[in-house]
Every structure is written in structure tokens, then in C-alpha cells.
Amino acid sequence: QVQLVESGGGLVQAGGSLRLSCAASGRTFSRSGMGWFRQAPGKEREFVAAISSSGGSTIYADSVKGRFTISRDNAKNTVYLQMNSLKPEDTAVYYCAAARFLASWRSVEYDYWGQGTQVTVSS
């Protein structure tokens, strides 16, 4: 079993920044690719960013590329999502997830999910 707990969400004005954290426990964190996904009201869950087990490789959705940065600290069993230049369309519940093996943009590659943290960007 893996437990994932997100934190850091909140209300921010457009153009502002937030940093999300996801604390993991239960499985050897350093062996898993990790990802962030989001789901806005009335929309399907979508990929945001992913990072390899070592942190040496990252992938991003086009919509966040250049504004968001995913990183991880394996010593702290934590993955982060730094979000800059936030836009109202970034408003969503953000979920972190642990991959079975490699980091991926495909949600089916992830077998554990956190409970989510709300991010609201006002215009």
C-alpha cells in the first residue's frame, strides 16, 4: 500500500504562484515515477506533469510547460509542483499519483492516488 497526501492548494490571483507538495509513504518512493494530474468541474481528469524515479527526467502538458515545474526529494519522500503565472483555467483539484513503474502522461500507468488539493485562481 502507498499513501499519498497532497497539500499546498488554495486561492490565488491570476499571475500568482503556489507550490503543491505530495508526501508519500508505504512503498519505496525512490523507485516510482510520480505524476500530477488535475480535474476541473465538469471536465475529465488531465495530465499535468510527471517525473522519473531519480528526478532526472520530466514531462509536462503543453498547457503548463514553462509555467509549472515538477521536482522531488527522495530523502523526504516528497514530490512538488511549483506553479507560476497561474491562470483562471488552472483552477482544478490537483492529484498526485505513484506510477507502477515509469513516469507517464497516461493515468492508467498510476496505481495509487492522493485525495487531491483544490487550487482556485481568480481573475
Side-chain angles (χ1 to χ4, degrees):
Q1 287 287 345
V2 175
Q3 293 79 42
L4 302 172
V5 179
E6 301 99 333
S7 61
L11 174 65
V12 64
Q13 289 188 334
S17 298
L18 282 174
R19 188 176 82 153
L20 305 183
S21 299
C22 174
S25 61
R27 182 164 74 189
T28 306
F29 176 77
S30 61
R31 295 179 183 174
S32 294
M34 297 293 295
W36 285 96
F37 292 76
R38 67 187 182 187
Q39 187 167 20
K43 296 187 176 181
E44 293 187 354
R45 183 172 55 193
E46 65 174 359
F47 169 75
V48 175
I51 188 166
S52 63
S53 57
S54 68
S57 179
T58 57
I59 50 176
Y60 295 93
D62 288 344
S63 59
V64 306
K65 203 171 292 183
R67 299 187 298 123
F68 291 11
T69 302
I70 188 171
S71 62
R72 65 190 295 162
D73 185 338
N74 286 345
K76 296 182 178 180
N77 285 2
T78 302
V79 63
Y80 305 97
L81 185 68
Q82 178 66 44
M83 306 186 294
N84 298 328
S85 302
L86 283 160
K87 304 175 181 180
E89 51 264 44
D90 294 318
T91 295
V93 177
Y94 283 71
Y95 300 90
C96 79
R100 293 182 185 85
F101 303 107
L102 301 177
S104 170
W105 60 270
R106 301 175 70 230
S107 62
V108 295
E109 301 294 340
Y110 296 82
D111 54 354
Y112 291 99
W113 296 79
Q115 83 289 349
T117 185
Q118 177 71 47
V119 171
T120 303
V121 184
S122 63
S123 57

